[in-house]
Amino acid sequence: MICPGFVRRSWWRSSQGARLALAGLGVVTTVATTGAIAFNGVVVPGRHGSPGLEANLRRGDSVEVTVHKVSEVDSFEGVEPGTGLFVRARVAGVRPVGDCWRAESRAAAQNLLLGKDVRLVMRRDDGSGGDQIMVDVLLPDGEDYARTIVHDGAAPADPAAREDLATVESDARHDRRGVWATSCDPGGTNVTATSAPSSSAQTTTTTTTATTVPAPAASPPPRSSSAPASTAPPDDLWDDILRGGRCTTEGERRTSFTGREMVCVRNQKDELRWRREK
Amino acid sequence: MRSEDRVDLFAEPIDVEPAPRLEDGRPPRGLTAQGWVRTTGWLQVGDRPVSSACVAAAVGFLWAPIVAVTLMAAFPVAAGILVVTAPAVSGAAWWFFTTWVRPASSARNIGLKRASDLFAGDVVRLYGSIGPVGRVTAVVRDNNVRVDFHGGGRQTWAPSRVVHVAELLS
């Protein structure tokens, strides 16, 4: 005759309700275990030495991450929501701006990236040897981040990484958008006087003024020295402002071509846009 | 050799304690050499037993996400495949195990009886509402009830003890 152990006999003798209760307990335990494993995998932002996405990705792979810190216009940190893996990324094709425009440049990057779910397309042609991965970034609306940031003049392009951005930067320079509307040298650390109107092509090196809003260019932007200098911004810039174009610093004020006061405010999509001041 | 009254003394003995059979006369899949029947399944909705393969599939549905989470970073494709296939694989593996490795019959409980009311021929659960099944071959009522089962097994129960009468399905 069969001689079962205590556990088996107890299981057989249990009521169906007890068995269902035990099964329910198993389900709860399983869910709790899953949750524990999942959340233990989340790396605390900024924690170094943790295994990151870079170990698992190859060139051309893409992954969606939520950006939680933007340190520079070309570098940020994020976490992949599905796995909780931490990633430090550097954007291909964008160069950081010098000190004179760094705050505005970073603000523009934060406006586009911070808290957003962006898609990273891996590059393995970095060669920097750092712990950052070189990526192309697609914004939630599908736009290319590097192209957007260079187009807006928030940062100069790095043609060595992305040749296609050279023409975008050229257009931004020509249209005097962002940093190109100032006398700031994007690659340097000094600035020219931003508010001193001058019709001369000769630049005067001084320390930056207390003005937080870069005034329209007083001298030609780099590599555009042949362009006529003017104290007034080009019409298309004002048009951009009037159309509700993107701005970089919340609270920044300007007077439109028609004399209307404009202010840079955050809209419902959490984007900074020019609006008429009420 | 035949005796005068034509009894064949060398013939195969008549099985006075027939083993448990299915309704169609076939031996149940879970019939063991000891005479009791191994059964599968521990859940019954009304008079319909829930297949243990389904329970195994549900278990697979539960453990797969746990493993998938741990595999996600290194093997994302395998993790996805695992989540989809684990329930089916778990159910199929359990079915294979209970059919070929350790054959077990499905059975359903069809009623309750006091031990004192049992008769030879009843098929009852040996330990509770699920688990192995045996066919009663003899019942001796005393202070307690001594129940003999096909294969030589014996249980002694209090007369008031309630046992589950079962029907073998496979």
Side-chain angles (χ1 to χ4, degrees):
Chain A
M1 193 66 175
I2 182 174
C3 296
F6 173 76
V7 175
R8 292 174 76 191
R9 270 184 294 148
S10 299
W11 177 246
W12 290 333
R13 286 173 177 163
S14 62
S15 66
Q16 181 155 294
R19 290 194 292 271
L20 284 172
L22 202 57
L25 186 65
V27 170
V28 171
T29 306
T30 304
V31 171
T33 306
T34 307
I37 291 173
F39 287 106
N40 277 343
V42 175
V43 179
V44 177
R47 196 167 88 190
H48 297 289
S50 303
L53 277 173
E54 64 274 11
N56 306 311
L57 295 174
R58 294 183 174 82
R59 180 185 172 88
D61 287 351
S62 77
V63 63
E64 191 168 285
V65 301
T66 303
V67 178
H68 64 74
K69 182 180 177 185
V70 178
S71 43
E72 288 296 338
V73 70
D74 68 334
S75 63
F76 61 87
E77 297 172 0
V79 170
E80 188 187 21
T83 62
L85 288 175
F86 177 77
V87 61
R88 298 184 69 210
R90 194 153 73 83
V91 182
V94 175
R95 282 190 295 136
V97 187
D99 293 342
C100 58
W101 186 263
R102 176 171 289 176
E104 291 82 357
S105 181
R106 188 188 299 134
Q110 288 172 341
N111 183 41
L112 287 170
L113 297 174
L114 199 59
K116 308 281 176 59
D117 294 330
V118 298
R119 181 158 288 280
L120 310 184
V121 182
M122 306 299 299
R123 286 175 168 241
R124 283 291 181 185
D125 49 3
D126 179 8
S128 64
D131 59 348
Q132 291 181 312
I133 53 175
M134 185 76 110
V135 295
D136 293 325
V137 182
L138 296 178
L139 298 170
D141 60 2
E143 291 287 325
D144 177 60
Y145 166 75
R147 178 174 289 273
T148 302
I149 213 82
V150 172
H151 173 270
D152 292 348
D158 179 8
R162 283 187 59 176
E163 284 181 30
D164 59 308
L165 295 182
T167 55
V168 178
E169 181 189 305
S170 251
D171 291 344
R173 283 168 180 268
H174 180 264
D175 296 342
R176 296 184 174 225
R177 288 192 287 261
V179 67
W180 308 117
T182 73
S183 53
C184 171
D185 177 4
T189 55
N190 295 327
V191 292
T192 56
T194 55
S195 58
S198 170
S199 58
S200 168
Q202 184 179 8
T203 58
T204 306
T205 303
T206 67
T207 55
T208 186
T209 65
T211 309
T212 56
V213 179
S219 61
R223 286 192 269 167
S224 300
S225 57
S226 60
S230 170
T231 54
D235 289 349
D236 54 356
L237 176 60
W238 292 129
D239 289 343
D240 193 31
I241 293 172
L242 289 173
R243 279 200 304 267
R246 186 177 281 128
C247 50
T248 57
T249 308
E250 190 167 11
E252 183 179 355
R253 294 170 188 280
R254 283 189 183 176
T255 304
S256 76
F257 186 64
T258 57
R260 191 181 296 275
E261 282 296 315
M262 306 295 291
V263 62
C264 180
V265 295
R266 202 170 287 277
N267 66 12
Q268 293 176 340
K269 295 179 180 176
D270 202 29
E271 297 170 340
L272 291 174
R273 300 285 182 177
W274 288 110
R275 291 282 182 273
R276 290 177 186 169
E277 189 176 35
K278 294 177 181 176
Chain B
M1 188 181 87
R2 289 184 180 278
S3 61
E4 290 179 355
D5 55 356
R6 299 191 174 194
V7 174
D8 187 356
L9 298 177
F10 296 97
E12 289 287 327
I14 298 170
D15 190 356
V16 294
E17 298 176 358
R21 297 280 168 182
L22 300 178
E23 205 170 39
D24 58 6
R26 287 182 297 122
R29 187 171 63 202
L31 182 62
T32 63
Q34 293 78 31
W36 53 274
V37 181
R38 184 185 295 114
T39 63
T40 180
W42 52 269
L43 193 61
Q44 183 169 321
V45 180
D47 63 348
R48 191 177 184 83
V50 176
S51 168
S52 59
C54 295
V55 177
V59 171
F61 184 76
L62 290 174
W63 67 255
I66 298 177
V67 181
V69 166
T70 57
L71 289 177
M72 182 67 81
F75 308 102
V77 176
I81 292 173
L82 181 72
V83 170
V84 174
T85 58
V89 170
S90 297
W94 183 252
W95 174 85
F96 181 79
F97 184 77
T98 57
T99 303
W100 300 102
V101 181
R102 284 175 67 88
S105 297
S106 60
R108 69 174 165 214
N109 297 338
I110 56 176
L112 298 170
K113 263 190 178 183
R114 289 176 180 276
S116 57
D117 296 335
L118 288 175
F119 288 99
D122 284 342
V123 176
V124 298
R125 298 278 188 182
L126 298 179
Y127 293 100
S129 57
I130 57 173
V133 163
R135 186 176 187 278
V136 177
T137 56
V139 179
V140 178
R141 295 171 182 82
D142 199 352
N143 288 336
N144 286 326
V145 179
R146 197 189 72 193
V147 183
D148 291 337
F149 292 95
H150 171 75
R154 176 176 293 175
Q155 297 272 21
T156 302
W157 289 327
S160 60
R161 181 191 172 101
V162 175
V163 296
H164 289 263
V165 180
E167 177 188 11
L168 292 166
L169 302 174
S170 64

